Amino acid sequence: MFQNPVLVVGDVMLDRHVHGQVRRISPEAPVPVVSLLGEVQTPGGAGNVAAGLAGLGCRVTLAGLIGADAEGAQLRQVLASKGVERLALVEHSDLTTVTKTRILSDTHQQLLRLDRDGDRGRFAALDQLLLDHVLPLIDDQSAVVLADYEKGVITPRVAREIIGRCRHRGVPCVVDPKKADFSVYAKATVVTPNLIEAERAIGRALPDDEAVGRAADQLRDRLRTDAMLITRGPEGMTLSAAGDVHHVPSQTRDVADVTGAGDTVVAVLAACLGSGRPILESCRIANAAAGIAVSHPGTYVVQAAELEAAWKGLSPKILNRNAAQRRLAEARRRGRKVVFTNGCFDLLHAGHLACLEGAKRLGDLLVVGLNSDSSVQGLKGDARPVIGQSNRASLLAGLACVDVVVVFDEETPVSLIELFEPDVLVKGGDYTVDQIAGADVVLRRGGQVVALPLVPGLSTTAILDRKART
């Protein structure tokens, strides 16, 4: 969807998510006992913005300050795993890499957060060294992001010089602000405070669209920015640009976790502006991306394919096999149980629904492999399918029990099962385990294979036969 170069400068962090089961309270103190299941490490702060840009296909460069410590080395590794390979990180022995460790239950509830913050003064003292790294890079960028989390990297001097260089070179500069005084972000292309940050900056409560719109206008005029975008969570976004105010409603989705939604907005906004899209269209695309991000637990990196599908009005649950594989691998790292089933699902009916809901009850994430039109035709003859694959995929994606839909062309889904490595393989019908395609692959990995009974008298073939006789 995007291939343009984007530079991210800001407070880079390492996020650790420690997952475990909680079954009892400690006899030593009134605290839960967490039985460790695993640990996931992801880039945080400006690193998450960079990961979001990489997920969209941008050629992203990340600049910031880290310590010469184990956490700094781990951060480099997780950035590389997210596709962020162009690093302009300044590593210094006097610094401590900012690290956040979250302890999570198996129901994904956050039990505790441990922060390892660096010394803001030491970060700030290296601002000239950071500028020496960053300023020469700006000329080759389509956009620049200042990801300020008030950890000390984005000093007023750093903000002013980067924004000034961007303005001089005609490079869009997107700012995610955390400072109480927004004046340091003056003349940026767009500043993106959330509602609380905007209320603090303007000095009053903003209870409705009209109040937020006036505040966006005032902040834009005061800072002499091209635009001001106030993100408002479930109320969507409010954009002030070129003398007009636009309210962009939020995308209606089940909210699983709002963590990182602001990073997603900033990343998509920069990618869009860097590719020449108008500011209002860029905000609407960023809004769609935020809707995808919050529908996933934890910090989620929105991929180009699912954003493109959502922007076209398609369900973000419909993924190609590579995007699905990345999502499932991340889910397993977070301790989630993946269930896979497959079928043609031509003329979706109550029997299909019973099977899919039964499959979902066996795990946390249900993936449906859907036979393509050519695959169905090969299995059932030239008269099938009755419903085309894009419509069948959309119907499946509309079911609450289905989390991912992947279309495949082969006669059987074995290649998908090998790629996805599900914990549970489910098939509806009177099958024995040895008759279920891919069962050997799942059992070899220690997984489970389940055959669910069909609803009597309900099948697409039976429905079509009855229709033909009438």
Side-chain angles (χ1 to χ4, degrees):
M1 190 171 184
F2 302 98
Q3 295 182 333
N4 44 306
V6 180
L7 172 65
V8 179
V9 186
D11 298 292
V12 185
M13 311 174 200
L14 176 68
D15 280 353
R16 288 187 176 129
H17 298 84
V18 179
H19 299 266
Q21 290 182 332
V22 177
R23 295 292 181 268
R24 61 192 178 96
I25 300 298
S26 171
E28 303 165 356
V31 295
V33 175
V34 182
S35 299
L36 182 64
L37 291 175
E39 180 179 314
V40 178
Q41 297 179 347
T42 59
N48 189 44
V49 178
L53 283 158
L56 298 172
C58 290
R59 303 193 305 277
V60 60
T61 301
L62 175 63
L65 300 171
I66 63 171
D69 48 25
E71 288 76 13
Q74 292 167 352
L75 179 57
R76 289 181 183 275
Q77 292 175 357
V78 296
L79 285 167
S81 72
K82 297 292 186 180
V84 183
E85 298 176 346
R86 298 174 179 84
L87 299 179
L89 298 174
V90 177
E91 183 178 302
H92 200 281
S93 58
D94 285 345
L95 301 178
T96 297
T97 302
V98 177
T99 306
K100 296 179 181 179
T101 302
R102 296 172 176 86
I103 312 298
L104 305 168
S105 72
D106 50 348
T107 58
H108 313 294
Q109 180 179 4
Q110 188 172 152
L111 304 174
L112 182 69
R113 195 178 97 177
L114 305 173
D115 284 7
R116 182 174 182 259
D117 285 336
D119 185 315
R120 295 181 74 255
R122 290 181 178 178
F123 280 117
L126 295 173
D127 62 354
Q128 184 58 55
L129 185 58
L130 178 64
L131 285 169
D132 290 343
H133 275 68
V134 168
L135 291 178
L137 301 174
I138 292 175
D139 293 355
D140 297 324
Q141 307 302 317
S142 70
V144 173
V145 176
L146 286 184
D148 186 1
Y149 293 84
E150 268 292 72
K151 300 297 183 182
V153 172
I154 304 297
T155 63
R157 180 187 180 192
V158 166
R160 283 193 295 267
E161 293 206 23
I162 291 176
I163 292 170
R165 182 67 167 257
C166 288
R167 179 67 67 174
H168 178 67
R169 298 293 185 181
V171 176
C173 183
V174 180
V175 177
D176 187 2
K178 288 295 181 289
K179 290 178 172 51
D181 180 6
F182 279 14
S183 65
V184 298
Y185 311 125
K187 297 185 180 181
T189 305
V190 57
V191 180
T192 65
N194 62 33
L195 183 61
I196 293 174
E197 292 161 349
E199 289 178 332
R200 183 179 61 189
I202 206 72
R204 63 177 185 271
L206 304 174
D208 52 34
D209 285 355
E210 184 179 353
V212 176
R214 284 198 306 268
D217 271 343
Q218 290 170 10
L219 288 171
R220 180 177 63 84
D221 290 341
R222 182 189 302 174
L223 300 179
R224 292 169 291 165
T225 60
D226 295 350
M228 179 66 57
L229 177 68
I230 299 177
T231 59
R232 303 167 59 194
E235 301 302 321
M237 304 173 171
T238 295
L239 171 70
S240 169
D244 291 324
V245 171
H246 304 273
H247 300 291
V248 182
S250 66
Q251 300 289 322
T252 303
R253 298 192 189 283
D254 293 330
V255 176
D257 196 334
V258 298
T259 305
D263 295 341
T264 299
V265 169
V266 170
V268 176
L269 198 56
C272 289
L273 293 176
S275 64
R277 286 176 167 84
I279 183 67
L280 180 56
E281 180 186 350
S282 299
C283 290
R284 286 172 172 158
I285 296 174
N287 188 51
I292 297 170
V294 301
S295 67
H296 299 273
T299 304
Y300 183 74
V301 174
V302 177
Q303 300 298 311
E306 59 187 333
L307 177 55
E308 187 171 13
W311 185 238
K312 291 177 178 177
L314 302 176
S315 171
K317 294 181 182 180
I318 305 170
L319 302 176
N320 62 40
R321 61 182 64 202
N322 291 330
Q325 192 275 334
R326 286 191 294 268
R327 181 177 172 193
L328 299 179
E330 181 69 21
R332 277 195 299 274
R333 283 195 293 271
R334 296 181 182 276
R336 306 189 77 196
K337 191 175 185 180
V338 176
V339 182
F340 180 91
T341 191
N342 67 278
C344 301
F345 299 99
D346 197 16
L347 292 185
L348 190 65
H349 53 70
H352 291 139
L353 181 60
C355 182
L356 292 168
E357 289 180 334
K360 178 60 180 280
R361 286 192 288 270
L362 298 173
D364 301 305
L365 206 71
L366 176 59
V367 185
V368 178
L370 178 66
N371 294 76
S372 68
D373 289 349
S374 60
S375 176
V376 174
Q377 196 171 48
L379 291 169
K380 299 182 179 293
D382 292 343
R384 300 282 296 275
V386 177
I387 307 296
Q389 67 187 45
S390 61
N391 289 329
R392 287 185 285 124
S394 294
L395 287 168
L396 286 168
L399 299 177
C401 58
V402 175
D403 297 289
V404 176
V405 179
V406 182
V407 178
F408 66 94
D409 289 319
E410 300 90 342
E411 184 176 333
T412 73
V414 171
S415 64
L416 286 186
I417 293 168
E418 291 174 337
L419 180 65
F420 296 162
E421 300 181 336
D423 302 291
V424 184
L425 173 61
V426 176
K427 192 67 180 172
D430 298 325
Y431 290 96
T432 59
V433 170
D434 61 296
Q435 294 174 319
I436 298 176
D440 55 332
V441 177
V442 175
L443 293 173
R444 205 161 45 238
R445 294 186 59 255
Q448 180 183 7
V449 180
V450 177
L452 295 176
L454 296 177
V455 176
L458 272 181
S459 73
T460 301
T461 300
I463 292 170
L464 291 175
D465 285 346
R466 286 197 297 271
K467 181 65 176 176
R469 290 195 297 269
T470 60

